[in-house]
Amino acid sequence: MKIKTADFVTSAPDLRACPAWNLPEFALIGRSNVGKSSLVNLLTGRRALAVASDIPGKTKLMNFFRINGNWALVDLPGYGYAKVATQDKHEFNRAVGDYLEKRRNLAEVFVLIDSRLEPQRIDLDFLRWLAGCDVDFSLIFTKTDKHSATQTRTRIDAFLAVIADFLPEPPPVFTSSAVAKTGEKEILAHIAAVLAAPSGE
Ligand code: GDP
């Protein structure tokens, strides 16, 4: 799939403020610093569409981008953002939880995992929760330029072995590197395939 247009549409603090459209949405989520903003820019081929920002106020919002006029990429707040005050943290977790549980036009969630790290508790807890939601999801292992392909594969296999405890079917797995500019073709091809499938499949 070629990205012809990628436009920032809005930032929503909660489900009610999300765009009133029926575009299929593909959401990205992961620990803060996992490389989510960099992946939005890699996927869309825009250098600063998602500003890699450290401002807590900004990173709490759900950011909507309309792509090619017929689908949307949704940049969800990173979880485990240490700088957010406890009260805010609760609020943003609830907003994201609402979105993931209730958004009707949510086509798929991409959960970003840092390929350099051992399986992290926070990612496993989130995946365990997400598995209970009625939504398809895939994993994207980011920052693969940091290791050899073999080391990355070993990490992915270790991660899949851990989640097999609570996920009977392994989810689709992708890899990406914003530095080496790899992975976006496979992820976009997957999105194109989901868009082309009759809805409900
Ligand atoms: P976010 O907080 O998840 O949105 O993460 P960012 O996209 O802002 O990236 C966090 C940090 O990781 C920044 O310093 C990026 O330059 C770096 N980073 C992001 N993607 C990659 C990648 O693919 N490879 C490497 N080596 N660094 C990356």
Side-chain angles (χ1 to χ4, degrees), residues 31-38 52 143 145-146 176-179:
R31 291 168 63 228
S32 50
N33 222 36
V34 71
K36 195 160 48 67
S37 306
S38 306
K143 308 190 186 183
D145 54 281
K146 294 276 191 172
S176 74
S177 165
V179 169

Side-chain angles (χ1 to χ4, degrees), residues 21-28 64 70-74 99-100 102-110 134-138 190-201:
W21 61 25
N22 285 321
L23 295 184
E25 292 173 354
F26 293 82
L28 301 174
F64 290 77
N70 67 345
W71 61 279
L73 200 58
V74 185
Y99 173 85
L100 293 171
K102 300 179 190 159
R103 184 74 168 162
R104 274 186 297 169
N105 48 321
L106 175 58
E108 184 158 333
V109 182
F110 291 105
D134 186 23
V135 65
D136 289 336
F137 64 90
S138 300
H190 177 77
I191 291 173
V194 172
L195 290 173
S199 63
E201 281 188 22

Side-chain angles (χ1 to χ4, degrees), residues 128-146:
R128 202 175 281 117
W129 176 82
L130 188 64
C133 296
D134 186 23
V135 65
D136 289 336
F137 64 90
S138 300
L139 305 180
I140 301 178
F141 288 86
T142 63
K143 308 190 186 183
T144 55
D145 54 281
K146 294 276 191 172

